[in-house]
Each structure stands twice: as structure tokens, then as C-alpha cells.
């Protein structure tokens, strides 16, 4: 069995080695002989992160670097890794944020769950890295009308309340196990998104195709939330959320899209009012630019927020 792990790097000097070392500490993959390869896909980082990886892991055949000549975004970089992994003959592909650390039995538990639910996408239990008993994501849910996604258990303290393996509607792209059969059927991530909502769109796509998503509570990840995007309260985040939320729901909501637009207008207006009261005019401008670029069908990497 071959398992490929895709790590997308963009100026991740302070994160990569902890993540890779935690992957190297993995126990056997569910009791079966397994071969793991880590693909580090670099989006033209401007720090010395790839030099550090070369110095530390350059002679290790389990690590392969893919150096892109520009910052093409999260979707494009993951897709480059997926294609390389498929060419290697990977049976499973794990998409994993490089600002994470994983428990030593992560792969084993994910693969056991995948064995119980063939041809499904599998998501782990994710805690905050700096609050290891507080949930960031225990799977995810989708609202019935406007299909708004949310992380189950967000900011709740661990009390055993999310220890049941179950089918879910949404899984964050922070950590996803994809069988090769799912990739063959559903394809790869949509590169129009660049950053944010590519995981939501992929989940909606799987559901439309009848492919299930399962939450595996015995597989554990710790996440340094917001590391790659400079935090949620940034112009970059405001822009891509404003634009890509519209794009994702336009692709999948069908006749309910006008209802979503009403909710979206109220939601973004409320956010902009709060930002103005806090003196954060740059976030309002970023939101307006995101909406304008959606209307102009300008997707991929923004000319304003790189």
C-alpha cells in the first residue's frame, strides 16, 4: 500500500519540520506493510524554508520537493502534488496543512476508517495546536437551505462528545484522506479558488456524485490555525472569502442561489459595519474588491492580495 502526503508550503519556515517529523513518527499503517512518501509543494516561497527542508531531508527518499515558479495558490499546489503522487502509484493521498502536527497513529486510524467505508473521503479530529484539549474541527455540517458550512465542535473543550465515527457533510482541507478511487471519479481541487472554499466546493462535488465523507475521531491532528493566511482578520482573508463564497455556491446551489444571495448581502454588510466601527477600512475594501472580481469572473490569484 502506498500513501502519499501532500504538504503545501508558502514561507512556512517555522512549521514544516515539526509536521514532517510527526509524519516520520507514524506507526505501521493499519497493520499492513505500507510505504509513505511526503511531497512538499512550494509556492515560490521567499524565505529559506525549502533550503531547510533540503538540508534536513535531502537524502531521505521519503521526501520529495516540488518547486513551483510562482505562488499559484493552495488548490494548484495540492493538485501538482496529487498528480505526482498518482504517477508514483499512490493508493491514498493525504492532503495536510504544513502548520500541523499529527499523532503517531494518524495514518493507521485513517486507513482503518477508510477500510470500513470504501471509496469515501475521511477526515480526522482536529484540535488547536496551542490548546490541545479544545476542538478546531470534529468534522463539519452544512445548513439545509443556503448550504453554509461550519466546523462541528469549534472552540469546545474535549469531553468525549465527538468520539463517534459518523458520516458528515463537510470536511476541512486542513487534513483529508482521499482514496485514489475518489480522485479518479471526482477529479482534483478547483484552481479558480486559489485560497479558501476549495475544500467546501470539493465536498459539495463529492456529495453531488454520491461519494460519502466520514469523520474519524480516533485520528488526531493539532493545527496552528491561520498560519498560512496571516489569520482570519486580514484583507487577504476578507477578499478570498467574499469572492469564493459566491463562486462556490453559484456552482452548487442551483435554484436556491437567490436565497443565498440575500443571506450573503446581510452577512457581508454586517461584517463591513463592524469593521468600520473598529477602524478596519482595509477589510471593507478587500470585501468590495472580492465581490467586484466575482462579478467580473476574475478568479485564481488576486491582483491585490498575494
Amino acid at each position: 500500500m502506498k500513501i502519499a502526503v501532500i504538504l503545501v508550503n508558502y514561507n512556512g519556515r517555522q512549521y514544516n519540520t515539526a509536521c514532517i517529523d510527526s509524519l516520520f513518527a507514524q506507526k505501521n499503517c493499519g497493520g499492513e506493510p505500507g510505504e509513505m512518501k511526503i511531497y512538499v509543494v512550494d509556492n515560490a516561497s521567499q524565505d529559506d524554508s525549502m533550503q531547510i527542508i533540503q538540508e534536513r531531508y535531502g537524502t531521505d527518499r521519503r521526501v520529495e520537493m516540488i518547486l513551483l515558479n510562482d505562488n499559484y495558490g493552495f488548490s494548484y499546489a495540492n493538485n501538482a502534488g496529487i498528480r505526482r503522487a498518482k504517477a508514483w502509484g499512490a493508493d491514498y493521498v493525504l492532503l495536510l496543512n504544513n502548520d500541523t502536527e499529527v499523532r503517531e497513529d494518524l495514518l493507521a486510524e485513517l486507513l482503518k476508517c477508510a477500510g470500513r467505508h470504501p471509496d469515501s473521503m475521511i477526515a480526522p479530529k482536529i484540535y488547536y495546536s496551542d490548546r490541545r484539549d479544545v476542538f478546531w474541527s470534529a468534522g463539519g455540517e452544512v445548513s439545509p437551505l443556503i448550504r453554509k458550512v461550519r466546523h462541528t465542535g469549534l472552540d469546545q473543550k474535549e469531553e468525549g462528545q465527538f468520539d463517534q465515527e459518523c458520516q458528515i457533510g463537510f470536511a476541512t482541507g486542513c487534513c483529508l484522506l482521499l482514496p485514489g478511487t475518489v480522485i479518479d471519479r471526482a477529479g482534483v481541487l478547483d484552481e479558480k479558488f486559489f485560497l479558501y472554499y476549495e475544500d467546501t466546493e470539493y465536498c459539495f462535488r463529492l456529495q453531488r456524485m454520491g461519494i460519502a465523507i466520514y469523520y474519524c475521531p480516533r485520528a488526531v491532528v493539532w493545527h496552528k490555525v491561520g498560519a498560512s493566511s496571516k489569520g482570519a482578520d486580514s484583507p487577504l482573508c476578507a477578499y478570498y472569502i467574499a469572492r469564493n463564497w459566491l463562486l462556490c455556491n453559484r456552482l452548487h446551489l442551483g435554484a436556491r442561489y437567490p436565497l443565498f444571495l440575500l443571506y450573503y448581502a446581510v452577512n457581508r454588510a454586517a461584517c463591513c459595519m463592524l469593521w468600520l466601527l473598529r477602524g478596519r477600512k482595509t477589510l471593507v475594501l478587500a470585501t468590495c474588491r472580492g465581490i467586484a472580481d466575482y462579478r467580473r469572473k476574475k478568479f485564481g490569484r488576486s491582483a491585490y492580495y498575494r
Side-chain angles (χ1 to χ4, degrees), residues 37-90:
K37 180 169 280 194
I38 301 169
Y39 293 91
V40 183
V41 188
D42 183 62
N43 262 322
S45 293
Q46 299 169 0
D47 64 2
D48 60 351
S49 52
M50 296 309 290
Q51 179 182 341
I52 291 171
I53 289 177
Q54 176 62 41
E55 291 171 353
R56 189 175 179 108
Y57 308 108
T59 60
D60 196 315
R61 297 178 63 183
R62 293 173 295 177
V63 178
E64 184 173 324
M65 294 184 292
I66 302 173
L67 306 179
L68 304 179
N69 62 9
D70 202 352
N71 181 9
Y72 293 108
F74 184 78
S75 298
Y76 183 102
N78 268 304
N79 291 345
I82 290 170
R83 292 184 180 105
R84 187 73 63 88
K86 292 286 285 181
W88 174 61

Short mmCIF file of all heavy atoms in Angstrom, two decimals, residues 37-90:
data_model
loop_
_atom_site.label_atom_id
_atom_site.label_comp_id
_atom_site.label_asym_id
_atom_site.label_seq_id
_atom_site.Cartn_x
_atom_site.Cartn_y
_atom_site.Cartn_z
N LYS A 37 5.26 8.45 1.21
CA LYS A 37 6.11 9.47 0.60
C LYS A 37 5.47 10.82 0.85
O LYS A 37 4.25 10.98 0.72
CB LYS A 37 6.27 9.24 -0.90
CG LYS A 37 7.15 10.30 -1.57
CD LYS A 37 7.54 9.92 -2.99
CE LYS A 37 8.69 8.95 -2.97
NZ LYS A 37 9.33 8.81 -4.32
N ILE A 38 6.30 11.79 1.23
CA ILE A 38 5.84 13.15 1.50
C ILE A 38 6.26 14.05 0.34
O ILE A 38 7.45 14.15 0.03
CB ILE A 38 6.43 13.68 2.82
CG1 ILE A 38 6.02 12.78 3.99
CG2 ILE A 38 5.98 15.12 3.06
CD1 ILE A 38 6.78 13.08 5.27
N TYR A 39 5.28 14.70 -0.27
CA TYR A 39 5.55 15.66 -1.34
C TYR A 39 5.37 17.06 -0.77
O TYR A 39 4.26 17.44 -0.37
CB TYR A 39 4.60 15.46 -2.51
CG TYR A 39 4.80 14.15 -3.24
CD1 TYR A 39 4.09 13.01 -2.87
CD2 TYR A 39 5.72 14.05 -4.28
CE1 TYR A 39 4.28 11.81 -3.52
CE2 TYR A 39 5.91 12.85 -4.94
CZ TYR A 39 5.19 11.73 -4.56
OH TYR A 39 5.38 10.53 -5.20
N VAL A 40 6.45 17.82 -0.71
CA VAL A 40 6.38 19.21 -0.25
C VAL A 40 6.32 20.08 -1.50
O VAL A 40 7.28 20.18 -2.26
CB VAL A 40 7.60 19.59 0.61
CG1 VAL A 40 7.43 21.02 1.12
CG2 VAL A 40 7.76 18.62 1.77
N VAL A 41 5.17 20.71 -1.71
CA VAL A 41 4.96 21.54 -2.89
C VAL A 41 5.12 23.00 -2.48
O VAL A 41 4.35 23.51 -1.66
CB VAL A 41 3.57 21.31 -3.50
CG1 VAL A 41 3.45 22.04 -4.83
CG2 VAL A 41 3.30 19.81 -3.69
N ASP A 42 6.11 23.66 -3.06
CA ASP A 42 6.43 25.02 -2.64
C ASP A 42 5.90 26.04 -3.63
O ASP A 42 6.20 25.99 -4.83
CB ASP A 42 7.94 25.19 -2.50
CG ASP A 42 8.30 26.57 -1.98
OD1 ASP A 42 7.89 26.91 -0.85
OD2 ASP A 42 8.96 27.34 -2.71
N ASN A 43 5.13 27.01 -3.12
CA ASN A 43 4.54 28.07 -3.92
C ASN A 43 5.48 29.27 -4.02
O ASN A 43 5.11 30.40 -3.70
CB ASN A 43 3.19 28.50 -3.33
CG ASN A 43 2.02 27.85 -4.02
OD1 ASN A 43 2.02 27.66 -5.22
ND2 ASN A 43 1.00 27.49 -3.24
N ALA A 44 6.72 29.03 -4.48
CA ALA A 44 7.71 30.10 -4.68
C ALA A 44 7.92 30.91 -3.40
O ALA A 44 7.82 32.14 -3.40
CB ALA A 44 7.30 31.01 -5.84
N SER A 45 8.22 30.21 -2.32
CA SER A 45 8.44 30.89 -1.03
C SER A 45 9.61 31.86 -1.12
O SER A 45 10.57 31.65 -1.86
CB SER A 45 8.73 29.84 0.06
OG SER A 45 7.60 29.06 0.31
N GLN A 46 9.52 32.92 -0.32
CA GLN A 46 10.57 33.93 -0.29
C GLN A 46 11.44 33.81 0.95
O GLN A 46 12.36 34.62 1.13
CB GLN A 46 9.92 35.32 -0.36
CG GLN A 46 9.13 35.53 -1.65
CD GLN A 46 8.27 36.78 -1.61
OE1 GLN A 46 8.25 37.51 -0.63
NE2 GLN A 46 7.56 37.02 -2.71
N ASP A 47 11.16 32.83 1.81
CA ASP A 47 12.02 32.60 2.96
C ASP A 47 12.95 31.42 2.64
O ASP A 47 13.06 30.98 1.50
CB ASP A 47 11.19 32.34 4.23
CG ASP A 47 10.36 31.07 4.14
OD1 ASP A 47 10.44 30.36 3.11
OD2 ASP A 47 9.63 30.76 5.10
N ASP A 48 13.63 30.90 3.64
CA ASP A 48 14.58 29.81 3.42
C ASP A 48 13.98 28.45 3.79
O ASP A 48 14.71 27.51 4.10
CB ASP A 48 15.88 30.05 4.20
CG ASP A 48 15.65 30.15 5.71
OD1 ASP A 48 14.47 30.20 6.13
OD2 ASP A 48 16.64 30.18 6.46
N SER A 49 12.66 28.34 3.74
CA SER A 49 12.01 27.11 4.19
C SER A 49 12.42 25.90 3.37
O SER A 49 12.64 24.81 3.92
CB SER A 49 10.49 27.29 4.18
OG SER A 49 10.02 27.75 2.93
N MET A 50 12.53 26.04 2.05
CA MET A 50 12.88 24.88 1.23
C MET A 50 14.36 24.53 1.38
O MET A 50 14.73 23.36 1.27
CB MET A 50 12.51 25.15 -0.22
CG MET A 50 11.02 25.32 -0.44
SD MET A 50 10.00 23.99 0.27
CE MET A 50 10.42 22.64 -0.80
N GLN A 51 15.18 25.52 1.62
CA GLN A 51 16.59 25.23 1.88
C GLN A 51 16.74 24.40 3.15
O GLN A 51 17.53 23.45 3.21
CB GLN A 51 17.39 26.54 2.02
CG GLN A 51 18.87 26.32 2.32
CD GLN A 51 19.61 27.63 2.50
OE1 GLN A 51 19.15 28.70 2.10
NE2 GLN A 51 20.77 27.57 3.14
N ILE A 52 15.95 24.73 4.17
CA ILE A 52 15.98 23.97 5.42
C ILE A 52 15.53 22.53 5.17
O ILE A 52 16.13 21.57 5.69
CB ILE A 52 15.09 24.65 6.47
CG1 ILE A 52 15.71 25.98 6.91
CG2 ILE A 52 14.88 23.74 7.69
CD1 ILE A 52 14.80 26.82 7.79
N ILE A 53 14.46 22.35 4.38
CA ILE A 53 13.99 21.01 4.07
C ILE A 53 15.05 20.22 3.31
O ILE A 53 15.30 19.04 3.58
CB ILE A 53 12.67 21.07 3.28
CG1 ILE A 53 11.54 21.54 4.21
CG2 ILE A 53 12.32 19.71 2.68
CD1 ILE A 53 10.22 21.72 3.53
N GLN A 54 15.72 20.89 2.36
CA GLN A 54 16.77 20.23 1.59
C GLN A 54 17.91 19.78 2.51
O GLN A 54 18.41 18.65 2.40
CB GLN A 54 17.30 21.17 0.51
CG GLN A 54 18.47 20.63 -0.28
CD GLN A 54 18.12 19.37 -1.06
OE1 GLN A 54 17.03 19.27 -1.64
NE2 GLN A 54 19.03 18.40 -1.08
N GLU A 55 18.31 20.65 3.43
CA GLU A 55 19.41 20.33 4.33
C GLU A 55 19.04 19.20 5.30
O GLU A 55 19.86 18.35 5.62
CB GLU A 55 19.83 21.57 5.11
CG GLU A 55 20.49 22.64 4.24
CD GLU A 55 20.70 23.95 4.98
OE1 GLU A 55 20.21 24.06 6.14
OE2 GLU A 55 21.33 24.86 4.40
N ARG A 56 17.79 19.21 5.75
CA ARG A 56 17.37 18.25 6.77
C ARG A 56 16.93 16.90 6.20
O ARG A 56 17.18 15.85 6.79
CB ARG A 56 16.23 18.86 7.59
CG ARG A 56 15.84 18.05 8.83
CD ARG A 56 14.79 18.79 9.63
NE ARG A 56 14.36 18.05 10.79
CZ ARG A 56 14.67 18.35 12.05
NH1 ARG A 56 15.46 19.39 12.28
NH2 ARG A 56 14.22 17.63 13.05
N TYR A 57 16.27 16.94 5.03
CA TYR A 57 15.67 15.72 4.49
C TYR A 57 16.14 15.38 3.08
O TYR A 57 15.60 14.47 2.46
CB TYR A 57 14.14 15.84 4.47
CG TYR A 57 13.53 16.27 5.77
CD1 TYR A 57 13.00 17.55 5.93
CD2 TYR A 57 13.47 15.40 6.87
CE1 TYR A 57 12.42 17.95 7.13
CE2 TYR A 57 12.90 15.80 8.07
CZ TYR A 57 12.38 17.08 8.19
OH TYR A 57 11.81 17.48 9.38
N GLY A 58 17.11 16.11 2.57
CA GLY A 58 17.50 15.96 1.17
C GLY A 58 17.94 14.56 0.78
O GLY A 58 17.80 14.15 -0.38
N THR A 59 18.47 13.80 1.71
CA THR A 59 18.92 12.44 1.41
C THR A 59 17.87 11.38 1.76
O THR A 59 18.11 10.19 1.58
CB THR A 59 20.22 12.12 2.18
OG1 THR A 59 19.98 12.23 3.59
CG2 THR A 59 21.33 13.10 1.77
N ASP A 60 16.72 11.81 2.25
CA ASP A 60 15.67 10.88 2.64
C ASP A 60 14.72 10.66 1.47
O ASP A 60 14.07 11.60 0.99
CB ASP A 60 14.89 11.45 3.84
CG ASP A 60 14.04 10.39 4.54
OD1 ASP A 60 13.37 9.61 3.83
OD2 ASP A 60 14.08 10.33 5.78
N ARG A 61 14.64 9.43 1.01
CA ARG A 61 13.82 9.13 -0.16
C ARG A 61 12.33 9.27 0.10
O ARG A 61 11.53 9.24 -0.84
CB ARG A 61 14.13 7.70 -0.64
CG ARG A 61 15.57 7.52 -1.09
CD ARG A 61 15.85 6.09 -1.51
NE ARG A 61 15.05 5.70 -2.66
CZ ARG A 61 15.07 4.47 -3.19
NH1 ARG A 61 15.82 3.53 -2.63
NH2 ARG A 61 14.31 4.18 -4.23
N ARG A 62 11.95 9.42 1.36
CA ARG A 62 10.53 9.58 1.69
C ARG A 62 10.04 11.00 1.45
O ARG A 62 8.83 11.26 1.50
CB ARG A 62 10.29 9.20 3.15
CG ARG A 62 10.49 7.74 3.47
CD ARG A 62 10.40 7.49 4.96
NE ARG A 62 11.48 8.16 5.68
CZ ARG A 62 11.60 8.17 7.01
NH1 ARG A 62 10.69 7.55 7.75
NH2 ARG A 62 12.61 8.78 7.59
N VAL A 63 10.96 11.94 1.20
CA VAL A 63 10.58 13.34 0.99
C VAL A 63 10.98 13.76 -0.42
O VAL A 63 12.12 13.57 -0.83
CB VAL A 63 11.26 14.27 2.02
CG1 VAL A 63 10.89 15.73 1.74
CG2 VAL A 63 10.85 13.88 3.44
N GLU A 64 10.02 14.33 -1.13
CA GLU A 64 10.28 14.85 -2.48
C GLU A 64 9.76 16.27 -2.56
O GLU A 64 8.64 16.56 -2.13
CB GLU A 64 9.61 13.97 -3.53
CG GLU A 64 9.91 14.39 -4.95
CD GLU A 64 9.36 13.41 -5.97
OE1 GLU A 64 9.36 12.19 -5.69
OE2 GLU A 64 8.90 13.87 -7.04
N MET A 65 10.57 17.17 -3.09
CA MET A 65 10.19 18.57 -3.20
C MET A 65 9.71 18.88 -4.62
O MET A 65 10.32 18.44 -5.60
CB MET A 65 11.37 19.47 -2.83
CG MET A 65 11.78 19.36 -1.38
SD MET A 65 13.10 20.52 -0.95
CE MET A 65 14.47 19.83 -1.88
N ILE A 66 8.63 19.64 -4.72
CA ILE A 66 8.12 20.13 -5.99
C ILE A 66 8.16 21.64 -5.92
O ILE A 66 7.43 22.26 -5.13
CB ILE A 66 6.69 19.64 -6.25
CG1 ILE A 66 6.63 18.10 -6.23
CG2 ILE A 66 6.16 20.18 -7.58
CD1 ILE A 66 5.23 17.53 -6.31
N LEU A 67 9.02 22.26 -6.70
CA LEU A 67 9.25 23.70 -6.62
C LEU A 67 8.51 24.40 -7.75
O LEU A 67 8.89 24.27 -8.93
CB LEU A 67 10.76 24.00 -6.68
CG LEU A 67 11.63 23.26 -5.66
CD1 LEU A 67 13.11 23.62 -5.87
CD2 LEU A 67 11.19 23.60 -4.23
N LEU A 68 7.47 25.15 -7.41
CA LEU A 68 6.73 25.93 -8.40
C LEU A 68 7.41 27.27 -8.61
O LEU A 68 8.07 27.80 -7.70
CB LEU A 68 5.29 26.12 -7.94
CG LEU A 68 4.52 24.83 -7.63
CD1 LEU A 68 3.11 25.15 -7.16
CD2 LEU A 68 4.48 23.90 -8.83
N ASN A 69 7.24 27.84 -9.79
CA ASN A 69 7.96 29.08 -10.11
C ASN A 69 7.18 30.34 -9.74
O ASN A 69 7.63 31.46 -10.00
CB ASN A 69 8.35 29.12 -11.59
CG ASN A 69 7.14 29.09 -12.51
OD1 ASN A 69 5.99 29.19 -12.06
ND2 ASN A 69 7.38 28.92 -13.80
N ASP A 70 6.02 30.18 -9.12
CA ASP A 70 5.23 31.32 -8.67
C ASP A 70 4.26 30.82 -7.60
O ASP A 70 4.11 29.61 -7.40
CB ASP A 70 4.46 31.95 -9.83
CG ASP A 70 4.05 33.40 -9.57
OD1 ASP A 70 4.24 33.87 -8.42
OD2 ASP A 70 3.56 34.05 -10.51
N ASN A 71 3.59 31.75 -6.92
CA ASN A 71 2.58 31.37 -5.93
C ASN A 71 1.26 31.17 -6.66
O ASN A 71 0.54 32.12 -6.97
CB ASN A 71 2.44 32.46 -4.86
CG ASN A 71 1.40 32.08 -3.81
OD1 ASN A 71 0.91 30.96 -3.77
ND2 ASN A 71 1.07 33.03 -2.96
N TYR A 72 0.94 29.91 -6.93
CA TYR A 72 -0.26 29.58 -7.69
C TYR A 72 -1.45 29.24 -6.81
O TYR A 72 -2.52 28.94 -7.32
CB TYR A 72 0.03 28.41 -8.63
CG TYR A 72 1.01 28.75 -9.73
CD1 TYR A 72 2.31 28.24 -9.70
CD2 TYR A 72 0.65 29.57 -10.79
CE1 TYR A 72 3.21 28.53 -10.71
CE2 TYR A 72 1.54 29.88 -11.80
CZ TYR A 72 2.83 29.35 -11.75
OH TYR A 72 3.73 29.66 -12.75
N GLY A 73 -1.24 29.24 -5.49
CA GLY A 73 -2.36 29.02 -4.59
C GLY A 73 -2.44 27.60 -4.06
O GLY A 73 -1.75 26.68 -4.49
N PHE A 74 -3.34 27.43 -3.09
CA PHE A 74 -3.50 26.17 -2.37
C PHE A 74 -3.99 25.04 -3.28
O PHE A 74 -3.47 23.93 -3.25
CB PHE A 74 -4.49 26.40 -1.21
CG PHE A 74 -4.69 25.21 -0.32
CD1 PHE A 74 -3.76 24.87 0.64
CD2 PHE A 74 -5.85 24.45 -0.42
CE1 PHE A 74 -3.96 23.78 1.48
CE2 PHE A 74 -6.06 23.35 0.41
CZ PHE A 74 -5.11 23.02 1.36
N SER A 75 -4.99 25.33 -4.10
CA SER A 75 -5.56 24.29 -4.97
C SER A 75 -4.54 23.80 -5.99
O SER A 75 -4.33 22.60 -6.16
CB SER A 75 -6.80 24.82 -5.68
OG SER A 75 -7.80 25.18 -4.77
N TYR A 76 -3.92 24.73 -6.69
CA TYR A 76 -2.96 24.37 -7.74
C TYR A 76 -1.82 23.55 -7.16
O TYR A 76 -1.41 22.53 -7.73
CB TYR A 76 -2.43 25.65 -8.39
CG TYR A 76 -1.48 25.43 -9.54
CD1 TYR A 76 -1.92 25.58 -10.85
CD2 TYR A 76 -0.14 25.08 -9.34
CE1 TYR A 76 -1.06 25.38 -11.93
CE2 TYR A 76 0.72 24.87 -10.39
CZ TYR A 76 0.26 25.03 -11.69
OH TYR A 76 1.12 24.83 -12.74
N ALA A 77 -1.28 23.99 -6.02
CA ALA A 77 -0.15 23.29 -5.42
C ALA A 77 -0.54 21.88 -4.98
O ALA A 77 0.20 20.91 -5.19
CB ALA A 77 0.40 24.10 -4.25
N ASN A 78 -1.71 21.75 -4.34
CA ASN A 78 -2.18 20.42 -3.96
C ASN A 78 -2.36 19.53 -5.18
O ASN A 78 -2.01 18.34 -5.16
CB ASN A 78 -3.49 20.51 -3.18
CG ASN A 78 -3.28 20.58 -1.68
OD1 ASN A 78 -2.65 19.71 -1.10
ND2 ASN A 78 -3.81 21.62 -1.06
N ASN A 79 -2.90 20.10 -6.25
CA ASN A 79 -3.11 19.31 -7.46
C ASN A 79 -1.79 18.85 -8.07
O ASN A 79 -1.70 17.73 -8.59
CB ASN A 79 -3.91 20.12 -8.48
CG ASN A 79 -5.35 20.34 -8.06
OD1 ASN A 79 -5.85 19.67 -7.15
ND2 ASN A 79 -6.03 21.27 -8.69
N ALA A 80 -0.77 19.71 -8.01
CA ALA A 80 0.54 19.31 -8.50
C ALA A 80 1.06 18.12 -7.70
O ALA A 80 1.63 17.17 -8.26
CB ALA A 80 1.52 20.49 -8.42
N GLY A 81 0.85 18.16 -6.38
CA GLY A 81 1.25 17.04 -5.54
C GLY A 81 0.44 15.78 -5.81
O GLY A 81 0.98 14.67 -5.86
N ILE A 82 -0.87 15.95 -5.99
CA ILE A 82 -1.73 14.80 -6.27
C ILE A 82 -1.31 14.10 -7.56
O ILE A 82 -1.22 12.86 -7.62
CB ILE A 82 -3.21 15.24 -6.35
CG1 ILE A 82 -3.73 15.65 -4.98
CG2 ILE A 82 -4.08 14.12 -6.93
CD1 ILE A 82 -5.09 16.32 -5.00
N ARG A 83 -1.03 14.88 -8.58
CA ARG A 83 -0.64 14.27 -9.86
C ARG A 83 0.69 13.53 -9.74
O ARG A 83 0.85 12.45 -10.31
CB ARG A 83 -0.58 15.36 -10.93
CG ARG A 83 -1.96 15.94 -11.27
CD ARG A 83 -1.91 16.95 -12.41
NE ARG A 83 -3.24 17.46 -12.68
CZ ARG A 83 -3.67 18.68 -12.33
NH1 ARG A 83 -2.86 19.51 -11.69
NH2 ARG A 83 -4.90 19.06 -12.61
N ARG A 84 1.63 14.09 -9.00
CA ARG A 84 2.90 13.41 -8.79
C ARG A 84 2.68 12.13 -7.98
O ARG A 84 3.29 11.09 -8.25
CB ARG A 84 3.88 14.33 -8.08
CG ARG A 84 5.31 13.79 -7.96
CD ARG A 84 6.05 13.83 -9.29
NE ARG A 84 6.21 15.19 -9.76
CZ ARG A 84 7.25 15.99 -9.43
NH1 ARG A 84 8.18 15.54 -8.61
NH2 ARG A 84 7.35 17.20 -9.93
N ALA A 85 1.80 12.20 -6.99
CA ALA A 85 1.51 11.03 -6.16
C ALA A 85 0.85 9.92 -6.98
O ALA A 85 1.17 8.73 -6.83
CB ALA A 85 0.61 11.43 -5.00
N LYS A 86 -0.07 10.30 -7.86
CA LYS A 86 -0.74 9.30 -8.69
C LYS A 86 0.25 8.65 -9.65
O LYS A 86 0.17 7.44 -9.92
CB LYS A 86 -1.89 9.95 -9.46
CG LYS A 86 -3.06 10.39 -8.58
CD LYS A 86 -3.88 9.22 -8.10
CE LYS A 86 -4.76 8.65 -9.19
NZ LYS A 86 -5.57 7.51 -8.70
N ALA A 87 1.19 9.44 -10.18
CA ALA A 87 2.21 8.88 -11.06
C ALA A 87 3.10 7.90 -10.30
O ALA A 87 3.60 6.92 -10.88
CB ALA A 87 3.05 10.01 -11.66
N TRP A 88 3.32 8.14 -9.02
CA TRP A 88 4.11 7.24 -8.16
C TRP A 88 3.34 5.95 -7.87
O TRP A 88 3.92 4.92 -7.54
CB TRP A 88 4.45 7.98 -6.86
CG TRP A 88 5.13 7.18 -5.80
CD1 TRP A 88 6.35 6.55 -5.88
CD2 TRP A 88 4.65 6.94 -4.47
NE1 TRP A 88 6.65 5.94 -4.69
CE2 TRP A 88 5.63 6.16 -3.80
CE3 TRP A 88 3.50 7.32 -3.77
CZ2 TRP A 88 5.48 5.74 -2.48
CZ3 TRP A 88 3.35 6.91 -2.46
CH2 TRP A 88 4.33 6.13 -1.82
N GLY A 89 2.03 6.01 -8.03
CA GLY A 89 1.20 4.83 -7.79
C GLY A 89 0.53 4.81 -6.44
O GLY A 89 0.19 3.74 -5.92
N ALA A 90 0.29 6.01 -5.86
CA ALA A 90 -0.31 6.10 -4.53
C ALA A 90 -1.71 5.51 -4.52
O ALA A 90 -2.53 5.79 -5.40
CB ALA A 90 -0.35 7.55 -4.06
#
